[in-house]
Amino acid sequence: MAQKGLARDTVVRAALELLDEAGLDGLSVRRLAARLGVQNPALYWHFRNKQELLDEMARELLAHDMGGPAEGEGWREWLARRAHRYRRTLLSHRDGARLIATGNPGPDVARSFEAELRTLTGLGFTPAQGLHTITAISHYTLGFVLNEQAGLDRRSRGDSTDLAAYARDHPLTVEGVRTGGAPTSDEAFAHGLRLILDGVAVSAPGTAH
């Protein structure tokens, strides 16, 4: 019965540590049980299967409420800050974006989302405008980090490119990177985010800019 007393949050923290070490593909209930020094059945007191564990890991990653606008902060500045914080959250663990993409965020995230929509409607957005604005920014951020972390994974495996040959064959790409940052850089993320927010400003004319 001692196995039954294994705390749920202890299991989740250990799973996130294992995620950092082994990646999402290397995360298994067997390896997690070995890390915790228990037999596999001990984990099934809390999680019926691996997907339930992944769901709880995703919820832990998203547990911190983004919050509303700061004093004197407009919707644009708030949503930009929210997107940058979301990106940092996804990058805080190896394969964090894949984990979120495959997990069920649960009721707490849904309540936070509803609160964000309430804030946007108070700033002049319709419910539909607010819904699609938040989801567009969230999907952009998630997709950006998926590519970002995939590149990190390839480099960790030793995949490399002949930079001299690439520069010779793709001079405009290289110039773009030199002057504006790589496609997965902070500068590239901020640029894409500005494009989305510019579009929101045009398509939601009733908002207080």
Side-chain angles (χ1 to χ4, degrees), residues 29-115:
V29 173
R30 178 185 59 79
R31 293 183 69 173
L32 180 59
R35 184 184 188 90
L36 290 165
V38 300
Q39 297 298 313
N40 286 15
L43 302 184
Y44 293 116
W45 284 109
H46 301 294
F47 307 104
R48 290 177 298 178
N49 50 52
K50 181 179 177 180
Q51 186 57 55
E52 280 198 3
L53 173 62
L54 295 177
D55 291 344
E56 193 65 26
M57 291 167 65
R59 291 164 193 169
E60 175 65 22
L61 206 58
L62 297 174
H64 303 291
D65 187 1
M66 297 294 181
E71 183 72 25
E73 189 176 40
W75 66 263
R76 185 181 181 115
E77 292 75 24
W78 168 47
L79 292 178
R81 177 169 58 82
R82 179 190 182 281
H84 284 289
R85 181 174 175 178
Y86 184 38
R87 179 175 173 236
R88 289 194 299 271
T89 296
L90 296 175
L91 288 170
S92 66
H93 288 280
R94 180 178 174 182
D95 288 335
R98 284 181 63 199
L99 174 64
I100 296 303
T102 59
N104 181 345
D108 288 341
V109 172
R111 281 190 288 269
S112 295
F113 188 83
E114 180 71 13

Side-chain angles (χ1 to χ4, degrees), residues 17-193:
E17 291 172 359
L18 182 57
L19 177 68
D20 286 335
E21 295 174 9
L24 195 59
D25 294 333
L27 176 66
S28 68
V29 173
R30 178 185 59 79
R31 293 183 69 173
L32 180 59
R35 184 184 188 90
L36 290 165
V38 300
Q39 297 298 313
N40 286 15
L43 302 184
Y44 293 116
W45 284 109
H46 301 294
F47 307 104
R48 290 177 298 178
N49 50 52
K50 181 179 177 180
Q51 186 57 55
E52 280 198 3
L53 173 62
L54 295 177
D55 291 344
E56 193 65 26
M57 291 167 65
R59 291 164 193 169
E60 175 65 22
L61 206 58
L62 297 174
H64 303 291
D65 187 1
M66 297 294 181
E71 183 72 25
E73 189 176 40
W75 66 263
R76 185 181 181 115
E77 292 75 24
W78 168 47
L79 292 178
R81 177 169 58 82
R82 179 190 182 281
H84 284 289
R85 181 174 175 178
Y86 184 38
R87 179 175 173 236
R88 289 194 299 271
T89 296
L90 296 175
L91 288 170
S92 66
H93 288 280
R94 180 178 174 182
D95 288 335
R98 284 181 63 199
L99 174 64
I100 296 303
T102 59
N104 181 345
D108 288 341
V109 172
R111 281 190 288 269
S112 295
F113 188 83
E114 180 71 13
E116 291 177 334
L117 285 181
R118 189 174 299 112
T119 297
L120 286 180
T121 56
L123 293 170
F125 286 75
T126 68
Q129 288 170 339
L131 171 69
H132 296 309
T133 294
I134 293 176
T135 53
I137 292 172
S138 297
H139 291 166
Y140 164 68
T141 305
L142 182 63
F144 190 97
V145 178
L146 280 169
N147 279 284
E148 195 171 5
Q149 292 185 317
L152 291 171
D153 187 56
R154 286 193 298 272
R155 288 193 290 276
S156 72
R157 297 196 305 267
D159 294 357
S160 61
T161 300
D162 184 335
L163 296 180
Y166 192 89
R168 182 183 64 249
D169 296 337
H170 308 88
L172 294 179
T173 302
V174 171
E175 176 64 13
V177 169
R178 186 186 69 80
T179 57
T184 54
S185 64
D186 294 344
E187 294 85 355
F189 179 76
H191 179 79
L193 181 59

